[in-house]
Amino acid sequence: MSMRAFKWFLNSGRLGAVTTSLGKQKRSIGMTDDKDVLRDVWFGRIPTCFTLYQDEITEREAEPYYLLLPRISYLTLVTDKVKKHFQKVMRQEEVSEIWFEYEGTPLKWHYPIGLLFDLHASNTALPWSITVHFKNFPEKDLLHCHSKDVIEAHFMACIKEADALKHKSQVINEMQKKDHKQLWMGLQNDKFEQFWAINRKLMEYPPEDNGFRYIPFRIYQVHKTFFALLSDDTVE
Amino acid sequence: MSRDPEEVNKLTENTYKNVMEQFNPGLRNLINLGKNYEKAVNVMIVAGRAYYDSLAKIGDISAGSPVSKELGQVLVEISRTHKKLNDSLEESFKKFHKEIISELEKKTDLDVKYMTYLETVSSRQSDIQRFIAEGCREALLEEKRRFCFLVDKHCSFTQHMHFYHVQCADFLKSKLPGWQEICSDATKVPEKVRMMIDEIRTPGSTPVSGTPQPSPMVERNTVIGNDFYPHHENASNVPPAPSGRAYTSPLVDMFNNPAAAPKAPSEKLNHSADSSEDASLSRSTSVATGLNIMKRQKVKTIFPHTAGSNKTLLSFAQGDIITLLVAEEKDGWLYGEHDTTRVPAPIRSISSVNLVEKGEVVLPPPDYLGASQADKRAESAKGPAPKTPTDRAEPTKPDMNGIVKPPFLRTVGEPTIDVTWLQLSPNSMTTRHQKFCFSNSRNVLQFQSLTPFQSARWNPVGGFCEKLLPSDRWQWSDVSGLKHQQLDSFTLPSPHWEWESDWYVDENIGGEPTEKGIVSHDDPEQLPDPFNDISIGGWEITDEPLGRLSVWAVSLQGRVWYRENVCHYNPEGSTWSLITTPGEVVQISCGPYDLLWATLWEGQAIVREGIDRNNPQGISWSTVESPSSENGIMHVSVGVDVVWCVTKDRKVWFRRGVNSHNPCGTSWIEMVGEMMMVTVGLNNQVWGIGCDDRAIYFRQGVTPSELSGKTWKAIVSGRESDRSQTGSSTSLLSAGCFFTDDIQTQTSAIVQGDADTSSDTELPSVPTNPVNTLPMGAASSSSGNSTGSQTEVSADLTADPLDSDQGEATAASMSHEKANLEMHKSAASPNPSAELQWTNIDLKEAQKHPVLSVSSFADTSSLSSLGVFSAGAEDQYGADEHPLWAWVSGGGCLVDLHSPLKWFTAPSGLSSSVQSLSLSITPAQTAAWRKQIFQQLSERTKRELENFRHYEQAIEQSVWVKTGALQWWRNWKPHKWIDVRVALEQFTGSDGMRDSILFIYYMYHEEKKYIHVFLNEVTIIVEVLNEAKHSFALYTPERTKQRWPIRLAATTEQEMHDWLSLLTMSCCESRRIQGPPSHHAIWSVTCKGDIFVSEPTPELEAGPQLMPCDQMFWRQVGGHLRLLECNNRGVVWGIGYDHTAWVHTGGHGGGFSPGLASSADNIYTQTDVKCVYIYENQRWNPVTGYSSRGLPTDRYMWSDASGLQECTKINTKPPSPQWSWVSDWYIDFGVSGGTDREGWQYAADFPASYHGHKTMKDFVRRRRWARKCKIVTNGPWLEVPPVTLWDISIIPSSDADAEAAVALWAISDKGDVLCRLGVTQQTPAGTSWLHVGTDQPFISISIGAFYQVWAIARDGSAFYRGSVSPNKPAGDCWYHIPSPQKQKLKQVSVGRTSVFVLDTNGNLWYRQGITPSYPQGSAWDHVSNNIRKMSVGPLDQLWVIADKVQGSHSLSCGTVCHRIGVQPMEPKGLSWDYGIGGGWEHITVRGNATEASRVAAHDTSEENLAVSKDLEDEESKGKTEHSKTPLMVSESQELDRNAVNC
């Protein structure tokens, strides 16, 4: 697979991983007011087929599990059902931390699902086939995710990082704890309105400021860690 | 006291009456007369000013003669003196206004309030004698104060007048002799002249040319100015100021309050004599505006003029260059100097005005839009017809230019309507005339109402008063401080212009008016006086003939005129017809449809009704009062179906409910912001000029659904002069973006008229004369900006009216058939070799852009698209200052709702890369881009989702939401209902628990905010009966404490019930409460008969952490009852308002709760009947006896019980829509206190205790009327026929034998004591009644846990029934127990051992000394007061419904209270804990026998006991009963209306 670069727009409230072709476009601020687009982005779904890794020891045959994964979310956040499904056929003592792999590549749970798909599997036939592992956690490739708190912490860190670039963290710092919570709950519960009620604030800037200080975006590459570019509004 | 208090009272009352009824009306009359007086004096002052101005001018003329030079000076001086006196007179009257009229006005306003207050005070005087005397004195003093005030004010005014007269006398005395002396000898000739004459006489002297000096003025300047009146440094009665002289540009007005501008137009000659006065003024302003650096302007003549016999005029040939010494045009006159001859002389501005000097650009006057240009062009095409200018012919206008450069918004070739009308600035201050043009695609006509030059006709005062001063004029003039300057702009008393003369004098091409040309043939008799305001609209009146227009004008005399027969092919119409109005009209606004509003001088608005296609003039006026009583409406503007107005205090108001059926609308809504004026565009869009910053604002968010819009947003309108610095590229850019078509840059100095146009002779056209409107401002602009070769005329269509070299008018013929739009960036150079950049932009096919409104221009930089003109391009002032706008008209501007407007950000020029870059993305690009994204997204969705929709979602969408629009009783003052969006969000928590949040979104100061409530915190949702609203209240513990629930109202009862049931269900769900109430449930009933039930927790009555009772959760059970009783075996009985007995079926829900919230069975229809009472009140007076005429202070003659609400038989409605009347009104004799045979009750006064017979002391009486109404509802209740009951009590049985009979005692509504047999847990209704004999009717009964039966008889005493047992359910005999002293008891409740009673005064008593052997007890012990109802439970717990519980915000009646600290050793408890409240009627806790953790609580109770013992010891000294913790609050405190009351 090519080393295509994907931009992951933090500034679009982590909603911007549309496709590469979109990435060429300069994202206008007005877009955040465009509910139709935002909705379409938010409600992007990837049909996925989860199959248990053949080496896992099961008590009986494990049926594959089909799920529509939200693009704007994290794997470990939305795969409780998958876990439950496969745990049923496994011996309890065999179950340890779940992890996912696609065509031999461990999937980083801390990348958004849409990104993972676009990055690794955009050319495959649907549904996206993901292999589920319960053993042999690839310590060097993946971060552990013991609970949803970890995901939340990661998500909030990204948001804060982005806002630091956009508004010198002013917006995120002015928010109350419950706003942060709402943002996270919105993501967790796939609640568009709830999420955007808060995220909108992160995307706004007073007109006299002439835009964000910087537009945060990251370029993700397969087999490499992402890197972030500092780009201000006037670039390109 | 010697005087009878009655008498004193009367005297007091008379005094007040006198003041209110005689003095005050008189005062009001006085104020009105005073205003008239004021007005008259104003007239006098202004007229005087005009007169003396003329005098000064005559003096000036005479000063021209060498002989009467001195006399001229005298005249000038006289005029100056008088003017000064005039001014001081004005000052005096200003004081008169300020100190008397406005003061008095203020007083009268305050007075009403004050007097009402006093009267209420005096009404209480009957109580206290002392007050009577004081009140009387107060009244008399007050009366005296009033007169004193009046006298005092007038004295001081008289003082002023006296001073004024003294001043006059002094002044005149000192001057008069000098003046007389000068005129004494008519033969006396000045020395110089004599010498001159002598010289002439002397042979050999130099022969003098017979021709007078064409211009002796230069000499005059020096001679006269210096020699004769050296003390008047500025007394230059000479015209052309040397370079240092600062001209008072009329433009200075722009930077002042326009409303403050000239009080009266006064004429100003070039050589105005009063320049001495205004020199200082103009200097000060010119410093600010930078006028001093104005460069002298040069013009090129466009046709030759021979002075002819009049040698004072300048002769010149075509193409001559003339330097303007006085560039400011005065009635068509300029003063200039021929460049070659160097002879200064007056010239007709009209004939010459064509600029030019190198590097200078003449801006066309913004007033002349493309339309007029087109006129000109079209006319020029018509063929030249030379015409000599005649003095009287031209409708020139005084200082039109520059005085007001109205920023205007306009359409370009508005295609949909095909008529563009522009209302040119009625420069409300100085120019009294109006112009308007019509244009359509076929012909272009211009149409002017002429300038009211003529002093005779011109009623300066009338106009002054009507137009200039819709509000307080002094205030304005104070602000401006420029009143003298305005005198200058007085029009010259020019010869009466005649309508027969051409409207359009066009010397440039000499075009002759065609037949079509507007030569008015109006009979002068029928002519309206000069216009004040004009408005055009009505082109879309339903079914009217195509192209018809309504043209309305307001004349200076305040009359309204309608122009007959105006339509597309006859835009000038035929005649004016007078429309009678109810008053003097100031301003008028006519919408595109049938809306027409005008404002009256008095401040009201009048609305034309009956406008339709048959009656375009409408039929009648109806008056709409100003939104605020103090400040009348100043300006009104209407759109399609909206009306906006500005009141004199600059507040902006929106008229609600305006439509074609109701042109008056319903009410005013105040808008945020203060505006000078507002204007409404084609689709109800609104612009305004801000009051403080004088910027143009656009109302954002005006949509068909929200006509009032959301916010004001300032339109950034850069000044042209700023932008001109950037050179032509900027202008090209903007123009290019603008029209998206050919852009040519020419180096030629000439812009040729469009050939097509010229050849098109078919065009009916009218000669127009834009020349005379050539703005001095424009000219000076160019001079101020010498380097800038291009002054961008951004506002699309304004073209230079003149095309110098060719002498041919150029015009953008927007109306041309081919619709070629041309924008001429005018800069004419006298010198062909000038390196001036000429820009000619041909706008091809401009009309292809549909709706050439702002929307299509929006892509471009802000200014151009708006077509706003800068106010004063000639002024080079600080870049940070924005122009101060005076007028905006959006009447032709169609704003597309969906396109973003780019008016709000300043184009910061080419240097600002960011801005320009962001500008570089056009909306079109954005749209295309968006479309692309959208497409990609949908493709993606299709690809990724289409075949997989059956897949399970990773995240269950368990969250659901109900949203709706409700009204909310807002939290802040003034409290009122506001519209809110409400959303209920229900979600499943991570633990699988359902929870809900209710969001209430509201607007607070234009900002969207919300409050939210977690439904698991809600303690009760209760319907609040309110005639006007279907409202309910939401309480949380906190809000219960505050007595401040969230109150919401729905528009329909159904909607409210939907919400109620949903919210109730959600609350129950989040608390996991379902199914029928438990046996231990606490039941309560509200004043409205709604039934609530709460599940008690063990912590409610005992436990280390006592649960506060405001945390109890109540849910509603269907049905309607007056009271409820229950026991801990689940036997629940209720009694309705109609005394029907009901028994609980064990179900739940009912009422509004549908489906799951209700039990499936056990729900039955329930009905109840209750009475609605109203009171008829009467007062006795000696003449007629009792009559329905009370004192003014009395309550309503038909009222509710409190007397606060008026309740007539007709307007009183059933309590809610659920209720319906089932009887007619009848007199109710069953009132406590008794009535006479007619049902009357008597009392000394309202409100007092009433009795049933009249005594000598009774002055008022009342009687109660009742009317029955019935509710049909449902609930888990079954009727227990046939006996109707008054009270009921069920034994709180402690034994758990389900089969055992439950003792149930009741009192029938006749007062019989009954015992129900056969009541068991299975058959709660029982089987039969057993009658228990009594000596008298009973009213209350209660049975304790050990069969102690207590009852209250109607006489207020208590009875104990002996020997009641399961085997002997009726007992054997009654033991009488006396009531507490002087108290009549009304309720009894017996718990396990405790017995409490309640008396009719709300005191709660505990029966002491009850022992098993002596169950009657020994004495009554007072516990509390203000108790309405109580219930003692099987744990001896005491709960009450208390009145007048004070919350943090309010007091409320009917609050559930819990006695805490009740212990075996402390049966009366210690203190009160307050629960849900406001409107509770009944509670029963007799089911709650949960004894859990009683033991655990023992320790603490011991402590409590110890503490209380200590307290008791302490307090025993003061012999206070420590347990008596009254719920007392001050009686005078009113109930807060915000609380939910019963």
Side-chain angles (χ1 to χ4, degrees), chain B residues 1232-1248:
Chain B
S1232 71
T1235 68
D1236 70 2
R1237 278 164 46 190
E1238 287 178 310
W1240 292 103
Q1241 294 186 300
Y1242 297 87
D1245 198 359
F1246 302 117

Side-chain angles (χ1 to χ4, degrees), chain B residues 631-653:
Chain B
N631 294 293
I633 298 173
M634 194 173 72
H635 185 98
V636 69
S637 186
V638 305
V640 177
D641 48 5
V642 297
V643 176
W644 292 71
C645 84
V646 178
T647 47
K648 289 176 187 170
D649 52 355
R650 306 299 186 206
K651 292 221 168 68
V652 185
W653 303 80

Side-chain angles (χ1 to χ4, degrees), chain B residues 1022-1143:
Chain B
V1022 56
E1023 194 177 334
V1024 180
L1025 283 192
N1026 175 324
E1027 308 99 51
K1029 300 271 175 196
H1030 306 285
S1031 67
F1032 58 95
L1034 232 81
Y1035 285 87
T1036 61
E1038 193 188 354
R1039 289 183 177 270
T1040 303
K1041 279 193 193 78
Q1042 297 165 348
R1043 309 273 153 225
W1044 190 277
I1046 294 170
R1047 293 183 63 183
L1048 295 166
T1051 45
T1052 65
E1053 192 168 23
Q1054 183 56 46
E1055 197 188 338
M1056 177 183 71
H1057 283 158
D1058 286 350
W1059 275 103
L1060 274 176
S1061 77
L1062 177 63
L1063 291 172
T1064 307
M1065 208 169 74
S1066 302
C1067 284
C1068 291
E1069 209 165 18
S1070 63
R1071 288 173 182 266
R1072 266 172 295 293
I1073 291 172
Q1074 53 185 349
S1078 76
H1079 295 173
H1080 295 294
I1082 296 173
W1083 296 77
S1084 68
V1085 178
T1086 68
C1087 298
K1088 316 295 182 203
D1090 289 331
I1091 304 152
F1092 286 87
V1093 63
S1094 176
E1095 295 299 331
T1097 59
E1099 292 79 31
L1100 195 60
E1101 295 296 345
Q1105 295 293 322
L1106 212 60
M1107 180 177 129
C1109 61
D1110 54 26
Q1111 289 184 8
M1112 293 167 75
F1113 172 68
W1114 296 89
R1115 61 177 160 144
Q1116 193 167 358
V1117 172
H1120 187 271
L1121 293 174
R1122 181 173 58 87
L1123 65 80
L1124 260 174
E1125 283 300 323
C1126 66
N1127 76 347
N1128 53 355
R1129 302 260 294 276
V1131 179
V1132 183
W1133 281 55
I1135 301 175
Y1137 279 77
D1138 57 355
H1139 311 305
T1140 310
W1142 300 87
V1143 64

Side-chain angles (χ1 to χ4, degrees), chain A residues 21-22 25-28 34 36 45 47 65-68 71 81 126-127 188 190-191 210 234, chain B residues 914-915 929-930 932-934 936-937 940 943-945 948 951-957 959 985:
Chain A
S21 55
L22 261 190
Q25 309 265 358
K26 190 171 143 76
R27 191 172 170 86
S28 104
D34 197 326
D36 293 338
R45 293 286 183 270
Y65 196 78
Y66 296 93
L67 214 53
L68 284 177
R71 279 178 164 266
K81 288 177 178 177
L126 289 170
Q188 182 179 323
D190 193 24
K191 188 93 205 309
N210 283 334
T234 55
Chain B
V914 173
Q915 203 63 39
W929 179 40
R930 178 188 182 276
Q932 192 189 350
I933 290 176
F934 214 77
Q936 286 173 350
L937 280 170
R940 190 187 78 180
R943 185 175 68 241
E944 295 178 355
L945 266 177
F948 305 100
Y951 278 28
E952 202 179 341
Q953 289 283 351
I955 303 170
E956 288 301 329
Q957 289 286 308
V959 177
E985 296 193 7

Side-chain angles (χ1 to χ4, degrees), chain B residues 328-488:
Chain B
E328 192 181 345
E329 173 202 7
K330 284 283 161 244
D331 303 313
W333 288 95
L334 297 169
Y335 192 82
E337 177 185 68
H338 205 284
D339 265 10
T340 46
T341 61
R342 292 273 162 208
V343 180
I347 46 171
R348 290 300 308 185
S349 63
I350 227 152
S351 56
S352 56
V353 183
N354 242 351
L355 107 101
V356 210
E357 190 162 282
K358 182 174 171 181
E360 289 180 350
V361 175
V362 169
L363 276 184
D367 318 62
Y368 277 76
L369 298 176
S372 59
Q373 299 307 317
D375 298 349
K376 233 170 120 59
R377 162 168 298 213
E379 200 222 328
S380 73
K382 192 76 191 152
K387 187 157 168 35
T388 358
T390 56
D391 277 355
R392 60 171 193 178
E394 50 262 30
T396 54
K397 9 187 241 81
D399 23 320
M400 178 61 187
N401 323 313
I403 288 178
V404 158
K405 298 246 191 128
F408 54 82
L409 310 156
R410 72 181 247 77
T411 54
V412 182
E414 169 56 56
T416 48
I417 292 165
D418 203 30
V419 169
T420 305
W421 60 269
L422 306 161
Q423 181 176 337
L424 300 186
S425 150
N427 168 4
S428 50
M429 305 81 215
T430 45
T431 53
R432 295 261 104 249
H433 67 237
Q434 276 287 330
K435 326 174 65 179
F436 57 96
C437 357
F438 302 126
S439 68
N440 61 20
S441 58
R442 267 195 201 94
N443 50 14
V444 182
L445 297 164
Q446 186 180 5
F447 182 104
Q448 290 181 319
S449 68
L450 297 193
T451 317
F453 294 140
Q454 182 215 32
S455 287
R457 265 183 86 94
W458 159 242
N459 176 358
V461 175
F464 178 82
C465 293
E466 286 158 22
K467 180 63 184 182
L468 300 186
L469 307 171
S471 78
D472 190 351
R473 100 174 230 278
W474 286 323
Q475 184 192 343
W476 291 358
S477 77
D478 287 349
V479 169
S480 84
L482 284 173
K483 50 183 179 164
H484 296 302
Q485 191 258 325
Q486 279 120 33
L487 285 178
D488 302 344

Side-chain angles (χ1 to χ4, degrees), chain A residues 12 19 24 45 47 53 58 74 83 92 94 102 108 112-113 139-140 150 160 193 199 210 212 219 226:
Chain A
S12 59
T19 58
K24 286 175 193 156
R45 293 286 183 270
Y53 184 56
T58 59
Y74 298 98
K83 201 166 155 188
Q92 280 308 306
E94 298 291 332
Y102 170 72
K108 294 183 168 67
I113 293 167
E139 301 283 347
K140 62 177 174 54
V150 179
K160 284 174 182 167
E193 301 285 347
N199 197 50
N210 283 334
F212 294 137
I219 295 174
F226 65 83

